[in-house]
Amino acid sequence: MAQPNILFIMTDQQRFDTIAALGAPIVRTPNLDRLVARGIACTNAYTTCPVCVPTRYTMMSGCEPSATEWLTNWAPATSVRARCGPYLPEVLAARGYRTWGLGKFHTEPRLEPLGFHLQEYSEELWPTEQEFLADDYVKWLRERSPAFHHLEQVHGERTDMYYVPQLRPMPQELCVESWLTGRALEEMGRADARPWFGLVSFVTPHPPVAPPVPYNRRYNPDEMPNPALGDPAIDAADDYLAWMNHAVWADDISAGQARQIRARYYGSIEFVDHCVGRILDAVEQRADADNTVICFFSDHGDHLGDHRAWQKESFFEASCRVPFLVSWPRKLPAGQRHQGLTALTDLIGLVSAASGEPVLREGHPLLANLRGEVPSRESLIGMYGTPDRKSTRLNSSHGYISYAVFCLKKK
């Protein structure tokens, strides 16, 4: 059998409970629902270090943060490749794949080559104006519309507006999500006899929460649930979360404001869902659609006020549990639910097994697990923060980053 095409669709900071077909009561996700129907939804999937940079290195390397040495977004820049082996695009390129990666990579160094034949960026932060102007999406936007040349932030206003509901300043066809989708369609349609591996990495729904028209008004804040609050002593047990609230100007967000934020957050997800639909349409029009592996997942979630917290970086499920969908019509059943404990470390093993000899590293043999050939793993170790190392976070009230180990038991 011919090697399958492989497509990763990744969102940023999307909670596990935001897919309608999996029981989310309010958000509308008809195209993610199509993906659920196309394959297997892993309903107990987790990130073992719920913050951006560590999860992305885990995805690329198949190694846990204890091996990559990335346990925060501010770890020293050291070579993950040297410790863990070739990145996933390099593994697949060595097997004859044409590889392309588009969107947010959030590596350190910022423009680290990850082994893709083509790598185009749409990052969320730029340390200098020169790096801002070199961003592939920013260049595309400025070429098409001089009206937006004045923008310092193209995804919404950060600073003290980080968790203030916003409207994207440009129409949806000029938003980064549309650019990313269009580029993915171009790469999928490129004439080339080789199988391809593509990564489509959205910044959305990461704050600032700024969907474009009409997605900014798709949800009524009055119909949103209030944040879920637990025992105050448990909610406050990790005092790092209070610092995180302070760091993003979220110390005093009211329940009413939280409902407004959630309404825009759901609107952002519905916009991404629309883009996913365009990508799915393109896959389904191909002659090799049934031999295309699609993995949809997020790097971590967002508390959205649950447990009196915002952002991520905790082991409450709103933060560390993620959506995780896998489909391969030629080899896997459709419309199934997998309750086994799954992690982002499993991605490299999954697609390497689909394309040839499995490369597991620190992951679980997920493809064999989904086929019922091996049992699910029994536990995961989650960790965040580096012990006995000075925090590099500016203005931190803590002398050291907090550190915790959690064992996530299968239910």
Side-chain angles (χ1 to χ4, degrees), residues 230-305:
D231 182 323
I234 295 175
D235 285 356
D238 183 355
D239 63 355
Y240 182 72
L241 295 182
W243 162 246
M244 281 300 300
N245 288 351
H246 174 73
V248 295
W249 297 274
D251 304 89
D252 56 358
I253 294 177
S254 69
Q257 290 168 322
R259 292 194 299 271
Q260 291 176 318
I261 294 166
R262 188 179 291 256
R264 297 291 172 109
Y265 181 83
Y266 284 176
S268 296
I269 290 172
E270 189 172 340
F271 180 34
V272 169
D273 182 86
H274 166 74
C275 295
V276 169
R278 293 177 58 195
I279 295 171
L280 283 181
D281 288 345
V283 169
E284 290 170 356
Q285 290 167 9
R286 298 176 58 93
D288 56 5
D290 69 334
N291 199 30
T292 299
V293 178
I294 301 178
C295 300
F296 174 88
F297 55 94
S298 192
D299 55 349
H300 51 73
D302 191 311
H303 294 103
L304 290 182

Side-chain angles (χ1 to χ4, degrees), residues 326-343:
V326 179
S327 62
W328 186 10
R330 186 172 291 186
K331 289 291 184 177
L332 292 174
Q336 301 293 305
R337 306 290 186 269
H338 176 69
Q339 296 182 348
L341 203 52
T342 309

Side-chain angles (χ1 to χ4, degrees), residues 70-357:
W70 279 93
L71 294 111
T72 75
N73 275 351
W74 292 273
T78 54
S79 175
V80 175
R81 182 188 281 105
R83 285 191 302 280
C84 299
Y87 290 134
L88 176 56
E90 297 171 303
V91 171
L92 294 176
R95 297 181 177 187
Y97 276 74
R98 176 174 63 92
T99 64
W100 44 273
L102 308 168
K104 178 179 175 179
F105 297 95
H106 206 161
T107 57
E108 186 60 45
R110 284 177 53 81
L111 303 183
E112 178 186 3
L114 296 172
F116 289 102
H117 293 123
L118 171 74
Q119 189 169 343
E120 294 184 3
Y121 295 83
S122 61
E123 299 294 338
E124 56 175 321
L125 292 171
W126 307 270
T128 67
E129 181 180 13
Q130 181 180 10
E131 290 178 84
F132 172 76
L133 295 176
D135 183 277
D136 290 294
Y137 165 65
V138 171
K139 289 190 294 186
W140 178 88
L141 175 66
R142 291 169 71 91
E143 287 170 0
R144 275 154 185 75
S145 183
F148 299 106
H149 283 194
H150 67 287
L151 292 178
E152 298 176 317
Q153 296 286 335
V154 292
H155 308 314
E157 182 63 38
R158 292 176 71 102
T159 66
D160 57 339
M161 299 283 286
Y162 196 74
Y163 271 112
V164 175
Q166 299 178 38
L167 170 67
R168 198 78 61 87
M170 67 282 293
Q172 63 170 294
E173 62 269 17
L174 293 179
C175 288
V176 64
E177 296 88 345
S178 297
W179 168 79
L180 187 54
T181 302
R183 286 294 296 116
L185 298 185
E186 291 173 357
E187 291 306 317
M188 289 167 54
R190 197 172 297 282
D192 195 306
R194 294 172 292 176
W196 48 262
F197 164 61
L199 167 66
V200 183
S201 179
F202 291 98
V203 174
T204 317
H206 191 292
V209 189
V213 174
Y215 297 95
N216 62 314
R217 295 294 182 188
R218 296 284 282 173
Y219 297 88
N220 183 349
D222 292 339
E223 296 175 355
M224 299 297 107
N226 285 326
L229 306 180
D231 182 323
I234 295 175
D235 285 356
D238 183 355
D239 63 355
Y240 182 72
L241 295 182
W243 162 246
M244 281 300 300
N245 288 351
H246 174 73
V248 295
W249 297 274
D251 304 89
D252 56 358
I253 294 177
S254 69
Q257 290 168 322
R259 292 194 299 271
Q260 291 176 318
I261 294 166
R262 188 179 291 256
R264 297 291 172 109
Y265 181 83
Y266 284 176
S268 296
I269 290 172
E270 189 172 340
F271 180 34
V272 169
D273 182 86
H274 166 74
C275 295
V276 169
R278 293 177 58 195
I279 295 171
L280 283 181
D281 288 345
V283 169
E284 290 170 356
Q285 290 167 9
R286 298 176 58 93
D288 56 5
D290 69 334
N291 199 30
T292 299
V293 178
I294 301 178
C295 300
F296 174 88
F297 55 94
S298 192
D299 55 349
H300 51 73
D302 191 311
H303 294 103
L304 290 182
D306 288 354
H307 305 289
R308 302 170 175 83
W310 294 86
Q311 286 269 67
K312 53 270 187 177
E313 301 179 21
S314 88
F315 289 92
F316 288 120
E317 293 220 331
S319 169
C320 67
R321 191 174 171 188
V322 295
F324 196 114
L325 310 178
V326 179
S327 62
W328 186 10
R330 186 172 291 186
K331 289 291 184 177
L332 292 174
Q336 301 293 305
R337 306 290 186 269
H338 176 69
Q339 296 182 348
L341 203 52
T342 309
L344 298 183
T345 39
D346 300 340
L347 285 165
I348 191 169
L350 171 71
V351 298
S352 62
S355 63
E357 196 67 25

